[in-house]
Amino acid sequence: MYILIAGGGKVGSNLAATLLKMGHEVTLLDNDRNRYAVLESRFEHVARYGDATELFVLERAGVERADLVVAVTGDDEDNIIVCQVAKEKYGVEKSIARVNDPRNQPHFDMVGINLTVSATATILALIEHELPAHELVTLLDLRRENLEIVEFAIDAGSPAAGRTVRDLNLPNGSRLISVSRAGRAEIAVGETELRPGDLVMAILEPGAEEELKRVLMPAAV
Amino acid sequence: MKLLIVGCGRVGSAIASRMAADGHDVSVIDDDPEALARLPEDWPGRFVQGHALDLEVLIDAGIETADACVVATDGDNTNIVIAQVAQKRFHCPCVVTRILDPARAAFYSSLGLQTVCATSAAIETTTQAICATPGRTG
């Protein structure tokens, strides 16, 4: 694969090194002179000097034949423009962008960049998962498929405790995947009975969350 | 008419001053509080200090009810993103964006943004001025 990386900081340069090792063809773009000098001595012709939001820079780097564009500069607007231009002008279907400020996430979504990575959002998701709250926790957001995988705990007050999956009356657009009890997980089937203390994983369409909460969690006090 | 101007530099502040003098309801956003000094002393409009990529700042400055929005910060890429937010998210009926790079201005104009490129205008005017003179031999 030919992969174009915009931004040669810690993220970009380590990605480039790993992808090269995996046998991919890589171009690493950076528009900081000092940083470029370091990158050039490490990566030689793989590193290129230039602003990846300039169309001629992208063209000279062969953006048209890129299989994937990765925008990991420290500037969210630049990352948005790189991915948008690569897709809309040069027909690069796949792009991955780094979100530096999570408040900019809606702007990435708006222009259709559906693969984004945000350190803050990732850490928040981990905190959400590690804190023992009886809330719906999102484990995986499958944006492209418009589905998400969530986890929640059944406690004694849950209307689902003591009932089988078949009797739960789950909302449309949701399915239970597995039930984990005392450290052992099993695939959820119709006759699986939910008990207090169970950790349940479900797959659902965004929008089905509220109804699913009503079926599985105690009514809010 | 209700007008929102993002970026209170030379371009933004001049448009803001002129439109306010013509009696329009003008609101200006800039992340530098000192930029207020570019507006007239008796500035009748609003000045919101903040980054216009922040949706709360845009809403506070009145993007939801603005009839037109001018995007003229000093960053092309920032302008392009803000303009798309104004157009696609807030459905502002008229969004005009300043883009200095002719290549990006042309591309985003093909995507439906109304772009103004001072660089292209300068290139055009300069070339015409040179071509209009007969030179030493004429």
Side-chain angles (χ1 to χ4, degrees):
Chain A
M1 276 215 296
Y2 178 42
I3 302 163
L4 194 62
I5 303 175
K10 284 202 178 71
V11 177
S13 58
N14 283 306
L15 271 178
T18 310
L19 290 168
L20 286 168
K21 224 176 275 172
M22 288 163 71
H24 295 294
E25 183 190 355
V26 177
T27 290
L28 181 57
L29 286 164
D30 202 289
N31 67 339
D32 180 286
R33 274 274 169 214
N34 296 327
R35 194 188 270 164
Y36 167 72
V38 177
L39 293 172
E40 209 264 334
S41 64
R42 179 174 173 196
F43 292 105
E44 298 174 351
H45 66 279
V46 164
R48 284 182 80 113
Y49 174 73
D51 177 350
T53 68
E54 290 268 11
L55 309 192
F56 77 91
V57 171
L58 285 173
E59 283 169 16
R60 283 181 194 170
V63 64
E64 277 142 333
R65 62 178 188 90
D67 299 292
L68 171 70
V69 167
V70 183
V72 288
T73 78
D75 186 298
D76 284 341
E77 292 97 296
D78 288 2
N79 292 344
I80 290 173
I81 300 299
V82 169
C83 292
Q84 191 178 23
V85 166
K87 182 178 171 193
E88 308 276 344
K89 187 167 172 63
Y90 301 109
V92 183
E93 282 304 321
K94 290 196 168 117
S95 66
I96 299 172
R98 169 186 182 183
V99 181
N100 295 279
D101 183 337
R103 286 176 298 182
N104 289 328
Q105 183 72 51
H107 309 324
F108 286 82
D109 299 342
M110 180 192 71
V111 301
I113 303 168
N114 43 23
L115 290 177
T116 54
V117 182
S118 155
T120 318
T122 307
I123 292 169
L124 278 175
L126 286 173
I127 292 172
E128 209 182 30
H129 186 233
E130 293 304 316
L131 286 178
H134 296 285
E135 263 291 307
L136 214 67
V137 174
T138 303
L139 296 181
L140 192 59
D141 206 355
L142 302 162
R143 283 163 171 269
R144 201 170 280 215
E145 290 77 7
N146 201 32
L147 289 170
E148 58 182 326
I149 295 177
V150 299
E151 184 186 67
F152 48 88
I154 302 294
D155 68 14
S158 162
R163 301 177 64 185
T164 61
V165 172
R166 184 175 291 120
D167 298 334
L168 281 180
N169 210 359
L170 288 167
N172 286 334
S174 72
R175 289 273 189 289
L176 298 195
I177 303 170
S178 66
V179 176
S180 162
R181 189 173 297 155
R184 281 197 54 205
E186 275 177 28
I187 300 293
V189 290
E191 49 271 23
T192 306
E193 188 190 314
L194 299 182
R195 297 182 201 157
D198 285 354
L199 274 178
V200 179
M201 234 190 269
I203 186 158
L204 54 100
E205 293 167 2
E209 288 162 31
E210 286 312 310
E211 221 179 319
L212 189 66
K213 276 187 193 173
R214 237 190 8 253
V215 174
L216 299 164
M217 293 181 187
V221 185
Chain B
M1 190 184 239
K2 218 179 142 190
L3 184 67
L4 172 63
I5 294 179
V6 180
C8 191
R10 278 182 239 281
V11 175
S13 65
I15 297 169
S17 305
R18 192 192 286 190
M19 296 300 278
D22 284 350
H24 296 289
D25 176 3
V26 184
S27 182
V28 177
I29 300 176
D30 200 293
D31 54 6
D32 177 11
E34 303 290 321
L36 179 58
R38 287 187 186 269
L39 295 170
E41 277 181 20
D42 56 346
W43 173 243
R46 287 192 63 206
F47 180 85
V48 178
Q49 194 239 316
H51 199 293
L53 273 180
D54 190 334
L55 297 177
E56 282 174 27
V57 170
L58 278 175
I59 291 167
D60 179 31
I63 183 82
E64 290 166 309
T65 53
D67 299 294
C69 177
V70 175
V71 189
T73 78
D74 57 2
D76 275 3
N77 295 339
T78 304
N79 289 346
I80 293 168
V81 177
I82 294 171
Q84 293 185 90
V85 170
Q87 196 179 54
K88 294 184 184 173
R89 177 176 285 263
F90 294 107
H91 308 290
C92 186
C94 171
V95 181
V96 185
T97 316
R98 186 179 78 142
I99 302 177
L100 289 176
D101 172 26
R104 261 170 285 180
F107 171 62
Y108 277 96
S109 142
S110 80
L111 283 193
L113 284 187
Q114 198 171 333
T115 62
V116 174
C117 181
T119 315
S120 297
I123 295 166
E124 197 59 34
T125 315
T126 310
T127 315
Q128 275 174 11
I130 295 167
C131 294
T133 60
R136 290 179 192 275
T137 53

